[in-house]
PDB file of all heavy atoms in Angstrom:
ATOM      1  N   CYS I  30       4.903  -4.606  -4.038  1.00 95.00           N
ATOM      2  CA  CYS I  30       6.212  -3.878  -4.033  1.00 95.00           C
ATOM      3  C   CYS I  30       6.970  -4.223  -2.930  1.00 95.00           C
ATOM      4  O   CYS I  30       8.244  -4.301  -2.979  1.00 95.00           O
ATOM      5  CB  CYS I  30       5.855  -2.416  -4.037  1.00 95.00           C
ATOM      6  SG  CYS I  30       5.003  -1.739  -5.526  1.00 95.00           S
ATOM      7  N   VAL I  31       6.447  -4.426  -1.789  1.00 93.00           N
ATOM      8  CA  VAL I  31       7.101  -4.870  -0.495  1.00 93.00           C
ATOM      9  C   VAL I  31       7.795  -6.251  -0.744  1.00 93.00           C
ATOM     10  O   VAL I  31       8.984  -6.497  -0.350  1.00 93.00           O
ATOM     11  CB  VAL I  31       6.286  -4.857   0.736  1.00 93.00           C
ATOM     12  CG1 VAL I  31       7.017  -5.579   1.812  1.00 93.00           C
ATOM     13  CG2 VAL I  31       5.823  -3.458   1.037  1.00 93.00           C
ATOM     14  N   LYS I  32       7.144  -7.054  -1.372  1.00 95.00           N
ATOM     15  CA  LYS I  32       7.684  -8.491  -1.639  1.00 95.00           C
ATOM     16  C   LYS I  32       8.917  -8.297  -2.693  1.00 95.00           C
ATOM     17  O   LYS I  32       9.794  -9.262  -2.493  1.00 95.00           O
ATOM     18  CB  LYS I  32       6.586  -9.359  -2.237  1.00 95.00           C
ATOM     19  CG  LYS I  32       5.586  -9.796  -1.159  1.00 95.00           C
ATOM     20  CD  LYS I  32       4.504 -10.705  -1.776  1.00 95.00           C
ATOM     21  CE  LYS I  32       3.392 -11.281  -0.856  1.00 95.00           C
ATOM     22  NZ  LYS I  32       2.388 -11.921  -1.408  1.00 95.00           N
ATOM     23  N   LYS I  33       8.813  -7.478  -3.514  1.00 94.00           N
ATOM     24  CA  LYS I  33       9.836  -7.449  -4.595  1.00 94.00           C
ATOM     25  C   LYS I  33      11.115  -6.813  -3.766  1.00 94.00           C
ATOM     26  O   LYS I  33      12.247  -7.301  -4.120  1.00 94.00           O
ATOM     27  CB  LYS I  33       9.522  -6.407  -5.617  1.00 94.00           C
ATOM     28  CG  LYS I  33       8.507  -7.135  -6.634  1.00 94.00           C
ATOM     29  CD  LYS I  33       8.198  -5.990  -7.795  1.00 94.00           C
ATOM     30  CE  LYS I  33       7.234  -6.702  -8.639  1.00 94.00           C
ATOM     31  NZ  LYS I  33       6.860  -5.653  -9.699  1.00 94.00           N
ATOM     32  N   VAL I  34      10.996  -5.838  -2.806  1.00 93.00           N
ATOM     33  CA  VAL I  34      12.051  -5.393  -2.020  1.00 93.00           C
ATOM     34  C   VAL I  34      12.687  -6.621  -1.194  1.00 93.00           C
ATOM     35  O   VAL I  34      13.901  -6.856  -1.198  1.00 93.00           O
ATOM     36  CB  VAL I  34      11.726  -4.245  -1.094  1.00 93.00           C
ATOM     37  CG1 VAL I  34      12.827  -3.888  -0.196  1.00 93.00           C
ATOM     38  CG2 VAL I  34      11.248  -3.052  -1.951  1.00 93.00           C
ATOM     39  N   GLU I  35      11.798  -7.376  -0.462  1.00 91.00           N
ATOM     40  CA  GLU I  35      12.268  -8.389   0.370  1.00 91.00           C
ATOM     41  C   GLU I  35      13.017  -9.461  -0.612  1.00 91.00           C
ATOM     42  O   GLU I  35      13.969 -10.120  -0.077  1.00 91.00           O
ATOM     43  CB  GLU I  35      11.010  -9.003   1.060  1.00 91.00           C
ATOM     44  CG  GLU I  35      10.654  -7.956   2.207  1.00 91.00           C
ATOM     45  CD  GLU I  35       9.268  -8.555   2.779  1.00 91.00           C
ATOM     46  OE1 GLU I  35       8.603  -9.427   2.321  1.00 91.00           O
ATOM     47  OE2 GLU I  35       8.900  -7.800   3.768  1.00 91.00           O
ATOM     48  N   ALA I  36      12.455  -9.774  -1.746  1.00 92.00           N
ATOM     49  CA  ALA I  36      13.041 -10.843  -2.644  1.00 92.00           C
ATOM     50  C   ALA I  36      14.422 -10.404  -3.069  1.00 92.00           C
ATOM     51  O   ALA I  36      15.373 -11.118  -3.004  1.00 92.00           O
ATOM     52  CB  ALA I  36      12.235 -11.190  -3.702  1.00 92.00           C
ATOM     53  N   ALA I  37      14.641  -9.046  -3.396  1.00 91.00           N
ATOM     54  CA  ALA I  37      15.892  -8.610  -3.849  1.00 91.00           C
ATOM     55  C   ALA I  37      16.923  -8.655  -2.668  1.00 91.00           C
ATOM     56  O   ALA I  37      18.118  -8.909  -2.844  1.00 91.00           O
ATOM     57  CB  ALA I  37      15.756  -7.111  -4.337  1.00 91.00           C
ATOM     58  N   VAL I  38      16.412  -8.282  -1.397  1.00 90.00           N
ATOM     59  CA  VAL I  38      17.297  -8.274  -0.298  1.00 90.00           C
ATOM     60  C   VAL I  38      17.703  -9.829   0.042  1.00 90.00           C
ATOM     61  O   VAL I  38      18.901 -10.106   0.259  1.00 90.00           O
ATOM     62  CB  VAL I  38      16.637  -7.734   0.965  1.00 90.00           C
ATOM     63  CG1 VAL I  38      17.395  -8.015   2.268  1.00 90.00           C
ATOM     64  CG2 VAL I  38      16.463  -6.213   0.818  1.00 90.00           C
ATOM     65  N   ALA I  49      13.872  -1.276  -6.162  1.00 92.00           N
ATOM     66  CA  ALA I  49      12.528  -1.723  -5.589  1.00 92.00           C
ATOM     67  C   ALA I  49      12.109  -0.961  -4.447  1.00 92.00           C
ATOM     68  O   ALA I  49      10.906  -0.734  -4.306  1.00 92.00           O
ATOM     69  CB  ALA I  49      12.661  -3.312  -5.278  1.00 92.00           C
ATOM     70  N   LEU I  50      13.119  -0.598  -3.550  1.00 93.00           N
ATOM     71  CA  LEU I  50      12.793   0.184  -2.528  1.00 93.00           C
ATOM     72  C   LEU I  50      12.255   1.676  -2.841  1.00 93.00           C
ATOM     73  O   LEU I  50      11.312   1.957  -2.239  1.00 93.00           O
ATOM     74  CB  LEU I  50      14.095   0.344  -1.508  1.00 93.00           C
ATOM     75  CG  LEU I  50      13.821   1.135  -0.267  1.00 93.00           C
ATOM     76  CD1 LEU I  50      12.893   0.576   0.666  1.00 93.00           C
ATOM     77  CD2 LEU I  50      15.180   1.468   0.338  1.00 93.00           C
ATOM     78  N   ALA I  53       8.689   1.057  -4.161  1.00 94.00           N
ATOM     79  CA  ALA I  53       7.806   0.718  -2.898  1.00 94.00           C
ATOM     80  C   ALA I  53       7.516   1.973  -2.076  1.00 94.00           C
ATOM     81  O   ALA I  53       6.392   2.143  -1.570  1.00 94.00           O
ATOM     82  CB  ALA I  53       8.446  -0.359  -2.059  1.00 94.00           C
ATOM     83  N   LEU I  78      10.694  -1.059   6.140  1.00 90.00           N
ATOM     84  CA  LEU I  78      11.104  -1.411   4.858  1.00 90.00           C
ATOM     85  C   LEU I  78      12.577  -0.722   4.503  1.00 90.00           C
ATOM     86  O   LEU I  78      13.498  -1.332   4.006  1.00 90.00           O
ATOM     87  CB  LEU I  78      10.137  -1.030   3.751  1.00 90.00           C
ATOM     88  CG  LEU I  78      10.297  -1.610   2.514  1.00 90.00           C
ATOM     89  CD1 LEU I  78      10.140  -3.181   2.557  1.00 90.00           C
ATOM     90  CD2 LEU I  78       9.145  -1.207   1.372  1.00 90.00           C
ATOM     91  N   GLY I  82      16.034  -2.455   2.746  1.00 64.00           N
ATOM     92  CA  GLY I  82      16.541  -2.089   1.426  1.00 64.00           C
ATOM     93  C   GLY I  82      17.926  -1.497   1.326  1.00 64.00           C
ATOM     94  O   GLY I  82      18.810  -1.671   0.442  1.00 64.00           O
TER      95      GLY I  82
END
Side-chain angles (χ1 to χ4, degrees):
C30 291
V31 169
K32 284 180 187 175
K33 286 180 181 178
V34 173
E35 291 171 349
V38 170
L50 179 64
L78 198 60

